[in-house]
Every structure is written in C-alpha cells, then in structure tokens.
Amino acid sequence: MIKAKSLYHLILYSIIFIIILTSSFTFIIIENAFDEFQEKIEIIKTDFENKQKDIIKAEIKRTLKFVSYYHETYKNIKSEKEIQDGILYALEHMRDKKDLSEYIFIYDFDGTSIYYPISDKNIGKNLYEFTDASGKKVVKEIIQISQKKKGGFVQYIWYKPEIQKEALKISYSLSY
C-alpha cells in the first residue's frame, strides 16, 4: 500500500509539475503573441511611413509643376526676381498655416535659404555646411539629392515646430 506521506508527495509533485507545465505553455503563448504584435507594429509603421513619403513626394512634385508653370508663363513678361517673388508669394498663400508638420522650404544651389515659412530668421543665410545633431550636413545633402533626376528622400534631425524641439524628420528633395 501507498503510505499517506508518499501519496501527499505524489499529489504535491503532480501539482507542481502541472503548474510548471501550464506556466511554460502560457509563457510560450504570450511570447508568440508578443512577437506577432511586434511584427504587426513594424508593418503598420512601415506602411505609415511609406504613405507619408508618397504624400510628401506628390506635394513637392505638384509644387514644382506650379513653379514651372508660373515661370514659363511669365519668363518673357517679368524679371527673374519678380517671378521668384510671385512664386514665393503664391507658396506662402497656398500653404495651411495651421499645419506645422508639412511645409515646403527652398534653398538655392549654394545653400542660401530662400523660403522657410516656419521662421524667417535664416532667410538669406547660407546654410550649406549646417550640421545636425547626428553630424549630417543636412542642406548640402538636400541640395545634392535634389539635383538627381528623380530627387530623393533625406532623413535628418531638425527643429520640429509642432513639438518645439529637435526631432527626426524626413524630406523629399527635388530641384527646379
């Protein structure tokens, strides 16, 4: 016959085994669910970033179409300075002044700031050698990428007006 003490140990060890087994399965299930959740987060982030890039790129291309149209329309009627002033005036009035997360800025090829609607303190200054917190020469890279046939995206650290501090930003750069 089985002694009471042995039966007690058998029951105790069985309960401990069941608890360990249940805990292990629970941990595995939670770990798998967490991994799936992380994968979904990455997919959502990537999709969001790609959609934002598409929006930015479309906005820049639409703006350059306007600039091209305006320039071609007035090139024999107005001076280059008058055309530039007219384009800048139109850009300023076309933008949504309440939305500080989306705006267009313009540099000439030597790095001089021509248009930056969030702050005019750097207008007319040469920022070609400006370096962000990560060591990237932002304006230089923006200009170089803009001169490629299809332009391109530049990721950098810059002051973000809606949160009032420096943050990671991405811009699509294309030249006219």
Side-chain angles (χ1 to χ4, degrees):
M1 272 233 44
I2 300 177
K3 294 182 181 177
K5 193 172 186 180
S6 294
L7 187 59
Y8 171 76
H9 282 119
L10 182 64
I11 292 172
L12 181 63
Y13 292 140
S14 296
I15 291 172
I16 291 172
F17 177 74
I18 291 170
I19 289 172
I20 290 172
L21 192 62
T22 305
S23 297
S24 297
F25 283 136
T26 303
F27 178 76
I28 290 169
I29 290 169
I30 291 172
E31 179 75 19
N32 287 340
F34 180 77
D35 289 345
E36 287 178 22
F37 184 65
Q38 290 297 82
E39 287 175 19
K40 287 179 183 177
I41 288 173
E42 281 305 312
I43 290 168
I44 290 169
K45 282 172 61 174
T46 302
D47 286 350
F48 177 76
E49 189 174 292
N50 288 336
K51 285 179 183 171
Q52 289 301 104
K53 283 181 174 181
D54 290 344
I55 290 169
I56 293 168
K57 188 175 182 178
E59 182 66 25
I60 295 303
K61 286 186 174 192
R62 191 172 23 260
T63 301
L64 282 183
K65 258 185 170 174
F66 165 74
V67 169
S68 177
Y69 167 79
Y70 193 94
H71 188 259
E72 289 301 313
T73 300
Y74 293 106
K75 71 180 179 183
N76 296 323
I77 299 170
K78 296 181 177 184
S79 70
E80 284 296 314
K81 175 73 173 135
E82 289 174 318
I83 292 171
Q84 183 182 42
D85 290 344
I87 289 170
L88 295 177
Y89 179 83
L91 290 176
E92 182 63 24
H93 287 84
M94 289 181 344
R95 77 181 189 91
D96 180 5
K97 291 179 173 75
K98 294 176 189 163
D99 186 1
L100 299 178
S101 66
E102 295 179 18
Y103 54 90
I104 293 168
F105 51 87
I106 302 171
Y107 294 96
D108 64 15
F109 290 127
D110 74 354
T112 302
S113 177
I114 294 173
Y115 178 70
Y116 186 71
I118 304 304
S119 169
D120 59 357
K121 73 177 187 171
N122 288 328
I123 300 296
K125 291 183 183 176
N126 188 304
L127 302 173
Y128 193 78
E129 295 296 324
F130 175 81
T131 306
D132 72 2
S134 71
K136 182 181 282 192
K137 293 189 184 286
V138 177
V139 177
K140 181 179 181 178
E141 188 170 331
I142 286 172
I143 291 168
Q144 288 173 344
I145 289 178
S146 78
Q147 293 172 326
K148 293 180 180 179
K149 183 173 175 78
K150 293 187 177 186
F153 289 96
V154 180
Q155 196 167 5
Y156 54 94
I157 298 171
W158 197 271
Y159 180 77
K160 206 165 188 175
E162 65 270 20
I163 60 173
Q164 298 183 350
K165 64 180 182 178
E166 288 192 346
L168 189 62
K169 293 183 82 170
I170 189 162
S171 294
Y172 183 75
S173 179
L174 191 59
S175 62
Y176 175 77

